[in-house]
Amino acid sequence: MERVLPRAEWVKTLPQAIVGACVLLLDHEDRILLLRYAEGQPSAGTWGLPGGMLDHGEDPLSAARRELHEETGIVLDAPPRFLGYDHRADVKGTGPVIDFIFYGGTLAADQRISRSPEHDKDGLFTLNELHTA
């Protein structure tokens, strides 16, 4: 006869995932805003959308807005629109990550980026330029 685990023990056997949220922003030329991770960061030298992991109890939309502000200084006038999600099987040994991706709109022509110490560079890239970023 197969043993049935109590619910609390059974839940511990289920796959766990880290959840992140990021924001896609475009400029008036439809270029995408990306940030490069600084030396000493786990993904140093790689580019990505502004975003990060959810804090305990935080929902993806709130995390996207918070991370965008922390990493760029940008505060959105309206809630970003949900675009979709991505699943990464394993991120640097931490296990699976599910990223929620939001569209934050078009940057103002004079928008300044105030990078966090986590990043050392920002840039605007066309889709054709992404392979070089």
Side-chain angles (χ1 to χ4, degrees), residues 72-116:
T72 67
I74 296 172
V75 176
L76 297 175
D77 294 335
R81 188 180 79 214
F82 176 67
L83 291 177
Y85 65 91
D86 183 41
H87 177 265
R88 296 180 281 163
D90 187 35
V91 178
K92 300 195 180 295
T94 61
V97 174
I98 298 171
D99 291 305
F100 287 81
I101 305 155
F102 295 89
Y103 175 62
T106 303
L107 294 165
D110 60 348
Q111 179 69 58
R112 288 184 37 122
I113 306 299
S114 300
R115 287 188 310 272
S116 70

Side-chain angles (χ1 to χ4, degrees), residues 22-36 46-51 67-69 71-76 101-108 111-115 119 121-127 129-130 133:
C22 57
V23 179
L24 171 71
L25 290 168
L26 302 174
D27 71 358
H28 290 284
E29 297 176 32
D30 288 334
R31 296 178 298 179
I32 301 168
L33 173 66
L34 297 178
L35 304 174
R36 187 174 74 180
T46 63
W47 293 84
L49 295 170
E67 287 284 349
L68 177 66
H69 181 257
E71 294 184 353
T72 67
I74 296 172
V75 176
L76 297 175
I101 305 155
F102 295 89
Y103 175 62
T106 303
L107 294 165
Q111 179 69 58
R112 288 184 37 122
I113 306 299
S114 300
R115 287 188 310 272
H119 300 97
K121 195 170 184 182
D122 59 85
L124 295 163
F125 299 89
T126 65
L127 288 177
E129 294 171 321
L130 288 182

Side-chain angles (χ1 to χ4, degrees), residues 11-62:
V11 167
K12 291 178 185 176
T13 69
L14 297 175
Q16 302 295 307
I18 296 169
V19 180
C22 57
V23 179
L24 171 71
L25 290 168
L26 302 174
D27 71 358
H28 290 284
E29 297 176 32
D30 288 334
R31 296 178 298 179
I32 301 168
L33 173 66
L34 297 178
L35 304 174
R36 187 174 74 180
Y37 285 99
E39 190 70 33
Q41 295 296 316
S43 296
T46 63
W47 293 84
L49 295 170
M53 302 306 167
L54 275 63
D55 289 341
H56 182 72
E58 188 176 36
D59 63 88
L61 178 60
S62 298

